[in-house]
Each structure stands twice: as structure tokens, then as C-alpha cells.
Amino acid sequence: MNAPQPKISPDLPQIRQLDETVINRIAAGEVVERPASAVKELIENAIDAGATRIDVTISHGGKTLIRVTDDGCGIPGPDLPLALSRHATSKIDGSDLLDIRSFGFRGEALPSLGAVGRLTITSRPSGAEAHTIACVGGTLGAVKPAALTSGTTVELRDLFYATPARLKFLRSDRAETQAISEVVKRLAMAEPFIGFTLRDETGGEPRVTFRADAQSGDLFDALAGRLATVLGRDFAENAIPLDAEREGLHLTGYAALPTYSRGSSVAQFLFVNGRPVKDKLLIGALRGAYADYLSRDRHPAAVLFLDVDPQRVDVNVHPAKSEVRFREPGLARGLIVSGIRHALAEAGHRASTTVAGEVLGAMRAERTEEQPPRIYQMDRPAQERPQSYRFPTPAPEPMGFAEAPTGRVEDTPQGVEETLTHHPLGAARGQVHENYIIAQTESGMVIVDQHAAHERLVYEKLKRQMAENGVAAQALLIPEIVELSEQDAATLLAHAETFARMGLTLEPFGPGTIAVRETPAILGEINAEALLRDVLDELDDIGQSQLVEARIEAILSRVACHGSIRSGRRMRAEEMNALLREMEATPHSGQCNHGRPTYVELKLHDIERLFGRR
């Protein structure tokens, strides 16, 4: 006997299949957040099509018009309806979504755009006729013959007209135009061998707002030329090339010198397999790479390209593919940190020459034909000259630098001076304002900030001692018990060995509870619970925590600052030359602990130009 079937109330909501138009509009909400998102999708399609020239035209911040024209391979007329169908692609072979080697595929964004705007595609492959197709509010039109030389033109008008509620959440035309410009510039950085043009038709007559011609030469030359166009000559002149590889991961790009730091992270551009991303892991790695060179309120500038086998990175984490997930996140982070730090160590002297160039450029800019160069009076009348100099005796200084009666170099034998000038930082010739060492090199002169330079030397020595001897730990008389969630406690204990090397000893103390038995001695008395919660936040943010190490290094930096040669200290000739030689032998001595240059180099030809000799 069959059991009676339950009666279904007619008032209960029923599950029903959404129609194709609604599905596409939902998809558009995921992929197309604003006009800039549409521009990004269309440009990436053009890049995948093998374009060498991409022209973008917009109006009213992309709200009323977005037109992208490329000279790529084109789409055959019979395939145009398929290009506007969901889940249709020419870029993925088979079903392996972990082996994506392109930006995307035409069928991913086009149906979404056609569902919320008035979309027209006109395309002509090589050796075939041109055809066009329209999609308005999700309704597909017929394929028609068209006139086009080659490539593809995608025109999107009245974005979000079919979903007017979305229009209320867009920003001003100016803000949307700026967002589109940023998208074009980021993709232009990723593809230096492709030419880009951005035009704005808002006022009626199109005006070019950005142009980047296709670069030639090898990758680094092409990238340097493109970055100079996009980010300006200042970045190009203050950046050093990166080329590092580790276990199948390849890092290239340019990182700016610490002296070219910014007040925010606006000049940080990250790419994975050529795709622009905003990834917390990579941003944290970049921040960690500059931790020794910048104060916490300054941000590095860099353009980083990380190439990895697609099987080792998931680009489908975010609908717009702006985030990625690495199979080996620690390897990616370590490569960025070590690659940048090695490059900065190799180019330590660059900070001095670039700062000098800025100074000289500013001085030359002050000159006009009507205003001759300033003349500086070097001698004063006899009655104004002091009869004698008396110097106060300062407190004893570390590292054996003794008191000197004068800042002038008077007693160095001629042969020794000539030998010293062959060194990169030359031979000390004097000291001015009790803080700046003047040295002569073979090709010019060097001005050294004695306090900043010695601060870096002491800091590097303290770090080296810490690395050799470990971090001294202080045992707590009564271990501090910290109660956390079981997951947070397990996360911290998984990194316990790393923390122990930093002098922080953690042990399990029941479910969700940790006992802090030792803390780094150099930190003094600390709030262990607050420290652990900060460490947890960093682990959640970037997958690793350098917080304890960063706090220790901050203390070392402070110790180095207070233990260095002070401004106002007179130095002997042998002391000044010893400082110069130690700077030459110490990594990262070109910048102090706060990112400022420790010395400035002036080439002889620059000095001669200042005096009108050239």
C-alpha cells in the first residue's frame, strides 16, 4: 500500500529555472562592477586576440559609450552569436580550469555586457569578410555584413540601461573616467609591446588622454620605456631592474629606490602571469622587502611581474580575477622579499646619484637668461674672520671614533690621499657644519651625512650579531596565559618554532589556550596577549607574520640611532676615511634606516655645468 503523498500548499514559493536574460544580468553584476570593469574585460579580450594596437574611446566616464578597437585575429561571422553565448570560449582546451594561460575568453564577459547595455561587435578575420552583430538588453540580433579593415571593434552604449538601479551606485563621470584610465595604464604596463590609446568624447570632439606607443627591444628595455610613459621619468630614473628565479617562479620588473618612497601605496603594481592583481600576500611581501629601508608611514613604489606555471596558481578565486591563490605562498613571498633586497643591495649607490640629479635639476631650473647664476662669496674681510676656533668636547662616541681639533684634513700624506680617491666614496677632504663629510673621488665629490651613515652601519652590525647569536629571551616568572579560539591557538602553535627563534616561546595550555613562557628580552615588558592578537591579524592578512621580528628590528634601529656619531661631532681625517671604507663594505649603506640617502655624489661634469664651464 502506497504511503499518502503530502499536500503542497499553493502559497509556498516554487523553485523555477531563471531565464537566460536574468542569468546574464546576474553574471554582469559579478564581472562588471563599473565601466572600468567593462573596459578591462574588452582590452583583455583584445590582448588574447593577438592585437598589437588597442584604441579605447569613452564618453561620460564610460556610462554612455565604451568602444574598444583592436587589430587582432578577429572573429568569423558564423562565430559571432557563439561569442555572445555564456560558457563559450576559444581559450580553454578541454576542462582543465587550472591551466589558464590567457586573460579570459570572449564569451565570458560579452554576454554579460550585452545583458545590461547596448552591445555591438564588428569583426573581420584575415582573409574573410567583416560581419556585425548586436545584443540589446540580452536580446541577440542577426549577423549582418559590415565594413571593417581588420580586427575587432566592440562598442558598448548605455551601460546598465537595462538595470537602472546599478546606475545610482556609479560615481561621477570624472571618477569613472579616472578608474578607466587606471585600468588602461595597468594593462599597458603588462603589455609593453602593444600600443594603447585612450580617447574621451565627452565634449564632442575626441581628445587623447593617454597614449603609449608599442615598445621595441628586449623585455627590460621595453618595460623601462613603457614605465617611463605610464609612471613618469622620475620613476624610471629611480627604479632598479629585478630578475630573480626560485623553484620555477620567476620575478621581473622594477622596484624604486627607498629614496623614491610615497605617502601611500598608489605606486604599487602587481602582476601574476601578466594579469593585474591586488593580492594581500604579494602586497605584504613587497612591504616586507622594504621593511629595513622605510619608516612605517612611507610606502615603496614598484612594478612586479611574477610568472608561475598556471598549475601552481589559481586565478579563479575572484569573478574579476583580481585575486589569486598560490599553491606555495611562502615560496612566492620569499622570492619577492629576497629578490628586491638583493637588487637594493646591488644598487646601493644609486640613491646618492638620483638625489644629486634632483638637486642639480632644481638648481638649473632656477636659472633664467635674465638671472645669471648666483655668485657665492668664499672669503670675508679680515676684520670679520674669527681669530681662533674652540670646539666643545662631546661625550665619548662608540666604535672608537675619537675627538678631533678640526674638521679639515691636513695630515694625510699625498700618496695615501691619491690611493683613497680610487675608492668608490673617495678620500675625505674635510667636514662642514659638523655633520657633513666632503670626499673627493676620481670623477667628482661625495657629501656624506655622518650621522645617517653611521646609523645604518651600527644597525647592520646589530642585525648581524642577532643573526649569529640569536635573539636573547627573557623567561617570565609566571607564564602569561592567553585564551583564544581553538583555531587561533592552533594557528599560532603551528608557527611556534619560528617565534622561538625570535625569543617568543609559546606552549599549548589546554583547548584554545596558550602559555607565553618567554618573550624577546630587547622588547622589555610587553603585553603578550595584545602581541599575539596582532600576530594573528598579520597571519590572517598575509599568511605569515614578521611582526615580532619587525618590532625587534625597530628597537635595533632605535639603538643604532642613539649609538651613532651625532651631528655636531668633529672627526679626524682617519675617522672620516674609516667611515667611508666601512660604508663601502656594508650592504644597504646608501640609505639610512628611514629611507633617506646617507650620501650624495656629484660628478665633476655636473659641478662644471653649475659654474657655466660646459
Side-chain angles (χ1 to χ4, degrees):
M1 185 174 179
N2 294 330
Q5 296 295 322
K7 294 182 179 180
I8 299 176
S9 171
D11 296 330
L12 289 176
Q14 296 182 9
I15 299 174
R16 56 176 61 91
Q17 180 70 47
L18 296 175
D19 61 51
E20 192 69 16
T21 301
V22 175
I23 292 173
N24 285 336
R25 288 177 182 174
I26 294 174
E30 296 178 343
V31 178
V32 185
E33 300 173 0
R34 59 194 303 189
S37 305
V39 172
K40 171 182 175 292
E41 296 289 341
L42 296 178
I43 292 179
E44 289 180 348
N45 284 343
I47 294 173
D48 283 341
T52 61
R53 184 81 214 170
I54 300 174
D55 296 317
V56 181
T57 303
I58 63 171
S59 181
H60 298 93
K63 301 172 187 175
T64 59
L65 171 66
I66 295 173
R67 184 189 303 119
V68 177
T69 301
D70 67 68
D71 61 353
C73 63
I75 306 173
D79 288 349
L80 285 175
L82 191 59
L84 285 165
S85 302
R86 297 194 71 223
H87 312 307
T89 177
S90 62
K91 307 296 174 63
I92 298 178
D93 184 14
S95 59
D96 191 355
L97 293 179
L98 294 179
D99 193 25
I100 298 177
R101 301 178 183 270
S102 62
F103 282 115
F105 44 90
R106 301 259 186 198
E108 183 178 18
L110 293 181
S112 299
L113 296 175
V116 295
R118 308 178 194 274
L119 183 70
T120 303
I121 304 176
T122 306
S123 190
R124 181 179 182 178
S126 177
E129 298 297 324
H131 292 83
T132 185
I133 190 172
C135 185
V136 180
T139 303
L140 196 63
V143 177
K144 300 177 182 178
L148 189 68
T149 305
S150 63
T152 301
T153 297
V154 180
E155 185 174 281
L156 177 64
R157 291 188 177 272
D158 302 328
L159 181 62
F160 298 134
Y161 96 95
T163 54
R166 296 288 301 277
L167 289 171
K168 300 177 182 178
F169 294 93
L170 295 182
R171 300 176 65 184
S172 65
D173 290 357
R174 182 177 180 180
E176 297 297 344
T177 298
Q178 179 64 25
I180 290 173
S181 179
E182 289 298 317
V183 164
V184 174
K185 289 178 180 178
R186 283 179 183 271
L187 290 169
M189 284 188 274
E191 300 290 339
F193 297 108
I194 299 177
F196 290 82
T197 303
L198 176 61
R199 294 181 175 86
D200 194 337
E201 283 188 358
T202 302
E205 186 70 22
R207 59 187 181 89
V208 176
T209 59
F210 173 74
R211 183 185 183 91
D213 294 327
Q215 299 291 311
S216 58
D218 64 21
L219 177 61
F220 279 100
D221 290 342
L223 183 58
R226 177 56 54 86
L227 295 183
T229 300
V230 177
L231 301 179
R233 289 287 173 188
D234 281 349
F235 176 85
E237 292 172 358
N238 285 274
I240 52 179
L242 304 173
D243 190 1
E245 192 167 0
R246 179 187 294 177
E247 298 181 33
L249 274 68
H250 190 196
L251 173 68
T252 56
Y254 281 86
L257 295 165
T259 49
Y260 186 79
S261 62
R262 307 295 296 273
S264 67
S265 58
V266 294
Q268 296 176 4
F269 303 93
L270 308 173
F271 302 83
V272 175
N273 290 345
R275 186 188 304 277
V277 298
K278 295 180 179 179
D279 187 81
K280 293 189 295 184
L281 170 74
L282 303 183
I283 293 172
L286 177 59
R287 186 175 60 212
Y290 281 85
D292 263 1
Y293 311 102
L294 296 177
S295 57
R296 290 187 174 272
D297 61 337
R298 302 299 296 175
H299 298 263
V303 180
L304 307 182
F305 295 87
L306 193 61
D307 292 309
V308 56
D309 189 319
Q311 298 281 349
R312 300 169 69 180
V313 61
D314 186 359
V315 299
N316 290 305
V317 178
H318 190 275
K321 296 183 174 61
S322 59
E323 299 176 10
V324 295
R325 181 175 293 129
F326 292 95
R327 184 183 296 178
E328 303 136 315
L331 181 61
R333 186 189 190 282
L335 176 61
I336 291 175
V337 173
S338 62
I340 292 178
R341 287 188 174 181
H342 179 74
L344 291 175
E346 290 285 317
H349 71 285
R350 282 279 306 278
S352 66
T353 55
T354 53
V355 171
E358 292 178 8
V359 173
L360 293 169
M363 293 174 67
R364 286 194 290 267
E366 291 179 357
R367 299 181 177 180
T368 62
E369 293 183 0
E370 294 78 15
Q371 181 183 13
R374 298 183 183 131
I375 299 176
Y376 296 91
Q377 183 68 38
M378 303 304 293
D379 296 314
R380 291 181 291 173
Q383 62 268 25
E384 295 183 15
R385 297 176 189 160
Q387 298 301 312
S388 62
Y389 291 94
R390 296 182 182 274
F391 304 104
T393 303
E397 299 285 355
M399 296 186 69
F401 290 102
E403 171 60 12
T406 177
R408 297 188 302 275
V409 177
E410 299 172 340
D411 53 356
T412 305
Q414 181 69 26
V416 174
E417 285 194 355
E418 291 178 356
T419 302
L420 292 178
T421 57
H422 296 315
H423 288 276
L425 296 183
R429 297 301 194 194
Q431 182 190 33
V432 296
H433 295 289
E434 291 78 45
N435 189 53
Y436 300 101
I437 298 171
I438 308 299
Q440 178 181 332
T441 66
E442 288 184 307
S443 59
M445 63 182 288
V446 167
I447 306 173
V448 178
D449 183 330
Q450 66 188 39
H451 172 67
H454 196 223
E455 179 182 356
R456 168 58 75 174
L457 298 181
V458 174
Y459 178 52
E460 292 296 330
K461 178 174 288 188
L462 291 173
K463 284 202 307 177
R464 192 163 55 248
Q465 291 174 351
M466 185 181 73
E468 293 172 353
N469 304 322
V471 179
Q474 57 183 359
L476 301 182
L477 185 61
I478 301 176
E480 186 166 343
I481 308 302
V482 180
E483 294 185 358
L484 304 163
S485 69
E486 291 191 19
Q487 181 177 354
D488 287 346
T491 299
L492 287 174
L493 292 173
H495 295 80
E497 186 177 344
T498 301
F499 296 143
R501 290 197 294 269
M502 291 288 104
L504 180 64
T505 303
L506 308 178
E507 293 180 359
F509 195 78
T513 307
I514 286 179
V516 181
R517 297 198 174 276
E518 293 179 324
T519 59
I522 195 171
L523 296 184
E525 186 176 350
I526 64 172
N527 184 328
E529 180 176 357
L531 176 63
L532 292 189
R533 295 193 183 279
D534 288 345
V535 168
L536 276 170
D537 289 341
E538 192 171 35
L539 286 171
D540 180 63
D541 188 33
I542 63 174
Q544 286 183 292
S545 177
Q546 281 74 43
L547 184 61
V548 178
E549 182 178 4
R551 291 191 178 183
I552 292 173
E553 290 183 347
I555 297 291
L556 295 182
S557 178
R558 202 150 54 238
V559 171
C561 182
H562 291 291
S564 302
I565 300 172
R566 311 303 298 173
S567 298
R569 161 73 191 281
R570 292 279 181 172
M571 298 178 68
R572 295 182 183 274
E574 58 269 23
E575 291 179 313
M576 290 187 279
N577 282 312
L579 181 66
L580 297 178
R581 302 292 80 79
E582 190 171 357
M583 289 175 65
E584 293 165 350
T586 302
H588 321 308
S589 63
Q591 295 89 33
C592 75
N593 306 346
H594 314 291
R596 295 187 295 271
T598 57
Y599 68 94
V600 173
E601 181 178 9
L602 299 175
K603 297 295 184 181
L604 183 58
H605 58 80
D606 287 325
I607 300 174
E608 290 174 341
R609 277 206 303 268
L610 287 175
F611 288 94
R613 288 181 172 270
R614 292 190 179 183

